[in-house]
Amino acid sequence: MDLAILWFVIIAVLWTGYLVLEGFDFGVGMLLSILPRGDREHREKERRVLVNTIGPVWDGNEVWLLTAGGATFAAFPEWYATMFSGFYLPLLIILVGLVARGVAFEYRGKIADPAWARRCDLAIQAGSWIPAVMWGVAFGNLVRGLLLDESFQYVGGFWALLNPFALLGGLTTATLFLLHGAVFVALKTDGDIRHRAARLASGLSVVTLVVAGGWALWAQLAFSEPWTWIAVLVAAGSLVGVVVTTRQRREGLAFALSAVTIVAAVVLIFGSMFPDVIPAVDGGTSLSVAEASSTDYTLTVMSWVAVFLTPLVIAYQAWTYWVFRRRLSTRDIPAPAGLSWQKIKDAAF
């Protein structure tokens, strides 16, 4: 296999890992004010349960995004330059959301104050909803194509990115991640919140099937190749399986099928783009895999690095998930241990 094509596939795999793992992270954050019930104290405990389900893994999941971005920069510098300049504002919005979300995760429990917790919850929710939608918009535009000039510079403007196909892509990723997160919560928790998450996942599965199915058919019929029908059918079959298994309360199988759906979606996206990394639209210039790639020497060195380091990263992350595999409930939540504002002021002054 040509090294440039190999690295196009590797980058697709890296995005797959990110969207599958960070997808349920986003979903849990999106559900932070939807699932908890009861009085104020009980709702706070259930919110802490939700945060703790992803607390040990959320930052490790984002490694896949960093690796995908770094691999794109090294293997396809022209693609990186065109995409990151054309998507500058959307990517900046995503970055701000991810930073705010990460800070909120780390500092939510540091201060024992309800108002502080509410602000952190708002940051977590905004930092989950915004990337969940914006990633779909970005990938929708990559499937549809961008208006590039002869030097591969994007000339379409920000508002051209908000076309109907891309916006439906944003709605698709939002519903997929919301479903993925609800199934994960049902898989990872126990007690009332588990049952509410399972019921919510059962309803969301039907909505996701309709929304994602509509986008996938549009993508396949308008922009894709005949062989990517396989990805569409796999995604559709997996989503139907999620509908069935969520009603049967088989959380493990439902989670696996929702992950397969995301994998099939990435195959559809990258298969629709190939042999370009950015297809042409409205008579513009397309950027192909060959035109965007680095030298063979660079790709060879990257390949050897990937061969040795990737298994270590995967093994470490798999070990992390194994260690933190136990279900959580409100019984596992201790009393708040954060500092009061008065103690902080006394320590500072």
Side-chain angles (χ1 to χ4, degrees):
M1 180 185 293
D2 181 85
L3 283 175
I5 298 176
L6 173 63
W7 272 96
F8 181 80
V9 173
I10 291 174
I11 289 171
V13 171
L14 293 172
W15 276 107
T16 300
Y18 172 69
L19 295 175
V20 168
L21 297 177
E22 192 76 344
F24 68 75
D25 276 4
F26 289 146
V28 173
M30 295 157 79
L31 293 169
L32 203 58
S33 289
I34 297 174
L35 280 179
R37 294 287 186 274
D39 57 31
R40 185 172 69 179
E41 182 180 352
H42 190 72
R43 288 200 305 272
E44 171 60 15
K45 278 193 172 183
E46 291 195 336
R47 290 191 186 98
R48 291 176 64 190
V49 168
L50 293 178
V51 171
N52 287 345
T53 60
I54 58 175
V57 298
W58 71 267
D59 47 355
N61 293 343
E62 292 190 348
V63 169
W64 291 84
L65 173 62
L66 299 176
T67 308
T72 304
F73 172 77
F76 298 99
E78 193 71 54
W79 185 16
Y80 181 94
T82 300
M83 185 168 57
F84 277 68
S85 60
F87 290 165
Y88 182 84
L89 185 55
L91 291 176
L92 178 62
I93 294 171
I94 290 173
L95 180 61
V96 170
L98 292 177
V99 170
R101 177 173 172 267
V103 171
F105 275 138
E106 293 297 327
Y107 286 91
R108 187 185 190 278
K110 305 297 184 185
I111 299 175
D113 178 64
W116 173 261
R118 285 195 298 272
R119 295 187 190 103
C120 289
D121 290 344
L122 181 61
I124 292 171
Q125 291 170 83
S128 299
W129 278 98
I130 291 172
V133 173
M134 295 301 289
W135 283 129
V137 172
F139 280 113
N141 277 290
L142 288 176
V143 171
R144 177 178 177 269
L146 299 175
L147 184 59
L148 307 180
D149 62 16
E150 293 79 6
S151 58
F152 305 121
Q153 296 298 309
Y154 175 63
V155 293
F158 172 74
W159 297 110
L161 299 175
L162 303 180
N163 55 80
F165 179 75
L167 292 175
L168 182 57
L171 182 60
T172 297
T173 50
T175 55
L176 270 174
F177 294 160
L178 198 60
L179 171 63
H180 203 39
V183 175
F184 178 78
V185 172
L187 176 65
K188 196 68 172 63
T189 61
D190 204 359
D192 291 340
I193 195 168
R194 173 189 178 185
H195 300 303
R196 287 197 298 272
R199 288 194 299 270
L200 179 62
S202 181
L204 282 172
S205 62
V206 177
V207 176
T208 305
L209 178 61
V210 173
V211 174
W215 184 84
L217 284 176
W218 189 352
Q220 177 62 44
L221 295 174
F223 307 110
S224 299
E225 301 294 328
W227 71 267
T228 54
W229 274 111
I230 298 173
V232 174
L233 294 175
V234 169
S238 299
L239 275 178
V240 170
V242 175
V243 172
V244 174
T245 52
T246 51
R247 279 157 174 72
Q248 297 173 342
R249 299 295 192 265
R250 300 170 67 185
E251 294 102 345
L253 183 55
F255 183 77
L257 289 171
S258 66
V260 170
T261 301
I262 296 173
V263 173
V266 175
V267 173
L268 173 62
I269 290 167
F270 279 79
S272 301
M273 293 161 54
F274 189 79
D276 298 320
V277 290
I278 300 181
V281 67
D282 296 334
T285 305
S286 62
L287 178 61
S288 69
V289 170
E291 292 169 325
S293 68
S294 294
T295 63
D296 282 345
Y297 177 78
T298 300
L299 298 178
T300 300
V301 172
M302 291 176 62
S303 300
W304 282 110
V305 171
V307 166
F308 286 105
L309 294 185
T310 303
L312 295 177
V313 174
I314 294 175
Y316 175 78
Q317 196 159 24
W319 176 79
T320 303
Y321 277 93
W322 176 255
V323 169
F324 295 101
R325 66 189 181 277
R326 189 172 69 86
R327 290 182 182 270
L328 301 176
S329 71
T330 53
R331 297 187 300 274
D332 301 307
I333 302 300
L339 298 174
S340 66
W341 284 114
Q342 187 59 48
K343 286 184 178 180
I344 294 173
K345 290 177 182 177
D346 293 343
F349 303 104

